[in-house]
Short mmCIF file of all heavy atoms in Angstrom, two decimals:
data_model
loop_
_atom_site.label_atom_id
_atom_site.label_comp_id
_atom_site.label_asym_id
_atom_site.label_seq_id
_atom_site.Cartn_x
_atom_site.Cartn_y
_atom_site.Cartn_z
N VAL B 9 -46.91 11.93 -12.10
CA VAL B 9 -46.01 12.60 -11.16
C VAL B 9 -45.07 11.57 -10.53
O VAL B 9 -45.55 10.55 -10.03
CB VAL B 9 -46.80 13.30 -10.03
CG1 VAL B 9 -45.85 14.21 -9.22
CG2 VAL B 9 -47.93 14.10 -10.61
N THR B 10 -43.79 11.81 -10.58
CA THR B 10 -42.86 10.94 -9.89
C THR B 10 -42.15 11.74 -8.81
O THR B 10 -41.62 12.78 -9.07
CB THR B 10 -41.80 10.39 -10.88
OG1 THR B 10 -41.22 11.51 -11.54
CG2 THR B 10 -42.40 9.48 -11.93
N THR B 11 -42.24 11.28 -7.63
CA THR B 11 -41.69 12.01 -6.49
C THR B 11 -40.90 11.11 -5.60
O THR B 11 -41.42 10.56 -4.63
CB THR B 11 -42.86 12.66 -5.69
OG1 THR B 11 -43.67 13.41 -6.58
CG2 THR B 11 -42.28 13.62 -4.65
N PRO B 12 -39.59 10.89 -5.93
CA PRO B 12 -38.78 10.09 -5.01
C PRO B 12 -38.78 10.69 -3.61
O PRO B 12 -39.04 11.90 -3.44
CB PRO B 12 -37.36 10.14 -5.62
CG PRO B 12 -37.61 10.52 -7.07
CD PRO B 12 -38.85 11.33 -7.08
N ALA B 13 -38.43 9.85 -2.67
CA ALA B 13 -38.47 10.27 -1.31
C ALA B 13 -37.71 11.57 -1.06
O ALA B 13 -38.17 12.43 -0.28
CB ALA B 13 -37.85 9.17 -0.41
N ALA B 14 -36.62 11.75 -1.80
CA ALA B 14 -35.80 12.92 -1.56
C ALA B 14 -36.56 14.21 -1.80
O ALA B 14 -36.20 15.24 -1.28
CB ALA B 14 -34.59 12.89 -2.49
N ALA B 15 -37.61 14.15 -2.64
CA ALA B 15 -38.30 15.40 -2.98
C ALA B 15 -39.45 15.71 -2.01
O ALA B 15 -39.97 16.83 -2.05
CB ALA B 15 -38.85 15.26 -4.40
N ARG B 16 -39.81 14.80 -1.19
CA ARG B 16 -40.96 15.03 -0.31
C ARG B 16 -40.49 15.67 1.00
O ARG B 16 -40.64 15.10 2.06
CB ARG B 16 -41.67 13.71 -0.02
CG ARG B 16 -42.37 13.12 -1.18
CD ARG B 16 -43.27 11.96 -0.74
NE ARG B 16 -42.48 10.82 -0.26
CZ ARG B 16 -42.13 9.78 -1.01
NH1 ARG B 16 -42.46 9.76 -2.28
NH2 ARG B 16 -41.44 8.79 -0.50
N SER B 17 -39.96 16.82 0.87
CA SER B 17 -39.36 17.37 2.09
C SER B 17 -39.78 18.80 2.34
O SER B 17 -39.03 19.57 2.84
CB SER B 17 -37.83 17.25 1.99
OG SER B 17 -37.43 18.01 0.93
N GLY B 18 -40.96 19.11 1.88
CA GLY B 18 -41.44 20.47 2.10
C GLY B 18 -41.91 20.70 3.51
O GLY B 18 -42.96 21.25 3.73
N ARG B 19 -41.12 20.25 4.47
CA ARG B 19 -41.58 20.34 5.85
C ARG B 19 -41.61 21.82 6.28
O ARG B 19 -40.77 22.62 5.80
CB ARG B 19 -40.71 19.51 6.77
CG ARG B 19 -39.24 19.85 6.69
CD ARG B 19 -38.45 18.92 7.65
NE ARG B 19 -37.08 19.35 7.76
CZ ARG B 19 -36.17 19.11 6.87
NH1 ARG B 19 -36.45 18.40 5.79
NH2 ARG B 19 -34.92 19.55 7.03
N PRO B 20 -42.50 22.16 7.13
CA PRO B 20 -42.67 23.56 7.52
C PRO B 20 -41.38 24.05 8.16
O PRO B 20 -40.73 23.30 8.91
CB PRO B 20 -43.79 23.56 8.54
CG PRO B 20 -44.39 22.21 8.52
CD PRO B 20 -43.42 21.28 7.89
N GLY B 21 -41.01 25.25 7.87
CA GLY B 21 -39.81 25.80 8.48
C GLY B 21 -38.54 25.55 7.73
O GLY B 21 -37.48 26.12 8.04
N ALA B 22 -38.58 24.58 6.77
CA ALA B 22 -37.36 24.29 6.03
C ALA B 22 -36.99 25.46 5.18
O ALA B 22 -37.84 26.23 4.73
CB ALA B 22 -37.58 23.05 5.16
N ARG B 23 -35.68 25.61 4.91
CA ARG B 23 -35.22 26.67 3.99
C ARG B 23 -35.84 26.45 2.59
O ARG B 23 -35.86 25.34 2.11
CB ARG B 23 -33.70 26.65 3.89
CG ARG B 23 -33.01 26.93 5.23
CD ARG B 23 -31.54 26.60 5.14
NE ARG B 23 -30.88 27.44 4.15
CZ ARG B 23 -29.73 27.14 3.59
NH1 ARG B 23 -29.10 26.03 3.84
NH2 ARG B 23 -29.20 27.95 2.70
N PRO B 24 -36.34 27.50 1.96
CA PRO B 24 -36.94 27.29 0.63
C PRO B 24 -35.87 26.85 -0.37
O PRO B 24 -34.71 27.34 -0.36
CB PRO B 24 -37.47 28.70 0.27
CG PRO B 24 -36.78 29.67 1.17
CD PRO B 24 -36.40 28.90 2.43
N PHE B 25 -36.26 25.95 -1.26
CA PHE B 25 -35.32 25.37 -2.21
C PHE B 25 -35.46 26.06 -3.56
O PHE B 25 -36.57 26.21 -4.09
CB PHE B 25 -35.63 23.85 -2.35
CG PHE B 25 -34.67 23.17 -3.30
CD1 PHE B 25 -33.44 22.72 -2.87
CD2 PHE B 25 -35.01 23.06 -4.65
CE1 PHE B 25 -32.59 22.10 -3.74
CE2 PHE B 25 -34.12 22.42 -5.55
CZ PHE B 25 -32.91 21.97 -5.09
N VAL B 26 -34.32 26.47 -4.12
CA VAL B 26 -34.29 27.07 -5.46
C VAL B 26 -33.23 26.37 -6.31
O VAL B 26 -32.05 26.33 -5.89
CB VAL B 26 -33.98 28.60 -5.38
CG1 VAL B 26 -33.95 29.22 -6.76
CG2 VAL B 26 -34.96 29.33 -4.51
N SER B 27 -33.61 25.86 -7.47
CA SER B 27 -32.64 25.31 -8.38
C SER B 27 -32.45 26.23 -9.58
O SER B 27 -33.35 27.00 -9.91
CB SER B 27 -33.02 23.91 -8.87
OG SER B 27 -34.05 23.98 -9.83
N LEU B 28 -31.27 26.16 -10.18
CA LEU B 28 -30.94 27.03 -11.32
C LEU B 28 -30.41 26.19 -12.49
O LEU B 28 -29.67 25.24 -12.28
CB LEU B 28 -29.86 28.05 -10.95
CG LEU B 28 -30.17 29.04 -9.84
CD1 LEU B 28 -29.67 28.51 -8.52
CD2 LEU B 28 -29.55 30.40 -10.14
N LEU B 29 -30.80 26.62 -13.69
CA LEU B 29 -30.28 25.98 -14.93
C LEU B 29 -30.16 27.09 -15.99
O LEU B 29 -31.01 27.97 -16.07
CB LEU B 29 -31.25 24.91 -15.40
CG LEU B 29 -30.94 24.22 -16.73
CD1 LEU B 29 -31.35 22.76 -16.69
CD2 LEU B 29 -31.66 24.90 -17.89
N SER B 30 -29.09 27.06 -16.74
CA SER B 30 -28.93 28.04 -17.83
C SER B 30 -27.90 27.57 -18.87
O SER B 30 -27.24 26.53 -18.66
CB SER B 30 -28.48 29.39 -17.27
OG SER B 30 -27.08 29.41 -16.97
N ASP B 31 -27.73 28.36 -19.90
CA ASP B 31 -26.68 28.13 -20.87
C ASP B 31 -25.61 29.21 -20.75
O ASP B 31 -24.92 29.51 -21.72
CB ASP B 31 -27.26 28.11 -22.31
CG ASP B 31 -27.86 29.41 -22.78
OD1 ASP B 31 -28.08 30.33 -21.93
OD2 ASP B 31 -28.09 29.56 -23.94
N PHE B 32 -25.47 29.78 -19.57
CA PHE B 32 -24.55 30.92 -19.38
C PHE B 32 -23.08 30.53 -19.29
O PHE B 32 -22.20 31.35 -19.40
CB PHE B 32 -24.92 31.73 -18.14
CG PHE B 32 -26.23 32.45 -18.25
CD1 PHE B 32 -27.05 32.62 -17.12
CD2 PHE B 32 -26.67 32.93 -19.45
CE1 PHE B 32 -28.26 33.33 -17.19
CE2 PHE B 32 -27.89 33.62 -19.55
CZ PHE B 32 -28.68 33.80 -18.43
N GLY B 33 -22.81 29.25 -19.05
CA GLY B 33 -21.43 28.80 -18.87
C GLY B 33 -20.90 29.24 -17.52
O GLY B 33 -21.55 29.98 -16.77
N SER B 34 -19.70 28.80 -17.23
CA SER B 34 -19.14 29.07 -15.90
C SER B 34 -18.02 30.07 -15.94
O SER B 34 -17.52 30.47 -14.89
CB SER B 34 -18.68 27.76 -15.26
OG SER B 34 -17.82 27.08 -16.14
N ARG B 35 -17.64 30.57 -17.11
CA ARG B 35 -16.54 31.55 -17.17
C ARG B 35 -17.08 32.98 -16.97
O ARG B 35 -16.48 33.74 -16.19
CB ARG B 35 -15.87 31.49 -18.55
CG ARG B 35 -14.80 32.52 -18.77
CD ARG B 35 -14.00 32.21 -20.02
NE ARG B 35 -13.27 33.36 -20.50
CZ ARG B 35 -13.69 34.16 -21.47
NH1 ARG B 35 -14.83 33.96 -22.07
NH2 ARG B 35 -12.97 35.21 -21.84
N ASP B 36 -18.18 33.30 -17.56
CA ASP B 36 -18.78 34.62 -17.38
C ASP B 36 -19.47 34.70 -16.01
O ASP B 36 -19.79 33.69 -15.42
CB ASP B 36 -19.78 34.89 -18.50
CG ASP B 36 -19.11 34.89 -19.88
OD1 ASP B 36 -17.92 35.20 -19.94
OD2 ASP B 36 -19.77 34.53 -20.86
N PRO B 37 -19.70 35.91 -15.53
CA PRO B 37 -20.28 36.03 -14.18
C PRO B 37 -21.78 35.82 -14.10
O PRO B 37 -22.36 35.85 -13.05
CB PRO B 37 -19.93 37.47 -13.79
CG PRO B 37 -19.89 38.20 -15.08
CD PRO B 37 -19.34 37.26 -16.11
N SER B 38 -22.42 35.53 -15.23
CA SER B 38 -23.90 35.55 -15.30
C SER B 38 -24.55 34.60 -14.28
O SER B 38 -25.47 34.98 -13.57
CB SER B 38 -24.38 35.19 -16.68
OG SER B 38 -23.63 35.94 -17.68
N ALA B 39 -24.08 33.37 -14.23
CA ALA B 39 -24.73 32.42 -13.32
C ALA B 39 -24.48 32.83 -11.87
O ALA B 39 -25.40 32.77 -11.03
CB ALA B 39 -24.16 31.00 -13.56
N GLY B 40 -23.30 33.28 -11.57
CA GLY B 40 -23.00 33.69 -10.23
C GLY B 40 -23.84 34.91 -9.82
O GLY B 40 -24.29 35.03 -8.69
N ILE B 41 -24.06 35.81 -10.79
CA ILE B 41 -24.89 36.97 -10.47
C ILE B 41 -26.33 36.54 -10.19
O ILE B 41 -26.96 37.06 -9.26
CB ILE B 41 -24.82 37.99 -11.61
CG1 ILE B 41 -23.44 38.66 -11.67
CG2 ILE B 41 -25.94 39.03 -11.52
CD1 ILE B 41 -23.17 39.54 -12.89
N MET B 42 -26.85 35.59 -10.92
CA MET B 42 -28.20 35.09 -10.65
C MET B 42 -28.25 34.53 -9.20
O MET B 42 -29.18 34.80 -8.45
CB MET B 42 -28.60 34.00 -11.62
CG MET B 42 -28.99 34.54 -13.00
SD MET B 42 -29.63 33.23 -14.09
CE MET B 42 -31.18 32.77 -13.22
N ARG B 43 -27.28 33.72 -8.86
CA ARG B 43 -27.22 33.17 -7.48
C ARG B 43 -27.21 34.31 -6.46
O ARG B 43 -27.93 34.29 -5.44
CB ARG B 43 -25.97 32.35 -7.32
CG ARG B 43 -26.03 30.98 -8.00
CD ARG B 43 -24.81 30.13 -7.63
NE ARG B 43 -23.57 30.56 -8.30
CZ ARG B 43 -23.10 30.00 -9.40
NH1 ARG B 43 -23.73 29.02 -10.00
NH2 ARG B 43 -21.96 30.44 -9.94
N ALA B 44 -26.38 35.34 -6.71
CA ALA B 44 -26.24 36.42 -5.75
C ALA B 44 -27.53 37.22 -5.65
O ALA B 44 -27.92 37.65 -4.54
CB ALA B 44 -25.09 37.33 -6.14
N VAL B 45 -28.19 37.44 -6.74
CA VAL B 45 -29.45 38.21 -6.71
C VAL B 45 -30.48 37.44 -5.89
O VAL B 45 -31.21 38.04 -5.05
CB VAL B 45 -29.97 38.47 -8.16
CG1 VAL B 45 -31.41 38.93 -8.13
CG2 VAL B 45 -29.08 39.48 -8.87
N ILE B 46 -30.51 36.12 -6.06
CA ILE B 46 -31.48 35.35 -5.29
C ILE B 46 -31.17 35.41 -3.80
O ILE B 46 -32.05 35.68 -2.98
CB ILE B 46 -31.47 33.89 -5.79
CG1 ILE B 46 -32.02 33.83 -7.22
CG2 ILE B 46 -32.30 32.98 -4.84
CD1 ILE B 46 -31.89 32.47 -7.90
N VAL B 47 -29.92 35.23 -3.44
CA VAL B 47 -29.51 35.26 -2.04
C VAL B 47 -29.76 36.67 -1.47
O VAL B 47 -30.15 36.80 -0.28
CB VAL B 47 -28.02 34.85 -1.89
CG1 VAL B 47 -27.48 35.18 -0.49
CG2 VAL B 47 -27.88 33.37 -2.19
N GLY B 48 -29.56 37.68 -2.25
CA GLY B 48 -29.76 39.04 -1.77
C GLY B 48 -31.23 39.31 -1.43
O GLY B 48 -31.53 40.07 -0.49
N ILE B 49 -32.14 38.66 -2.14
CA ILE B 49 -33.58 38.86 -1.90
C ILE B 49 -34.09 37.88 -0.87
O ILE B 49 -34.93 38.21 -0.06
CB ILE B 49 -34.37 38.71 -3.23
CG1 ILE B 49 -34.00 39.87 -4.18
CG2 ILE B 49 -35.87 38.69 -2.99
CD1 ILE B 49 -34.51 39.69 -5.59
N CYS B 50 -33.61 36.65 -0.91
CA CYS B 50 -34.11 35.60 0.00
C CYS B 50 -32.88 34.88 0.59
O CYS B 50 -32.44 33.88 0.08
CB CYS B 50 -34.98 34.63 -0.79
SG CYS B 50 -35.67 33.29 0.19
#
Side-chain angles (χ1 to χ4, degrees):
Chain B
V9 191
T10 53
T11 308
R16 290 190 293 266
S17 61
R19 56 181 189 279
R23 298 167 62 201
F25 181 85
V26 179
S27 76
L28 299 94
L29 176 144
S30 78
D31 65 346
F32 292 148
S34 51
R35 175 169 162 262
D36 299 331
S38 314
I41 289 173
M42 285 186 65
R43 287 187 284 263
V45 166
I46 293 170
V47 167
I49 293 170
C50 182

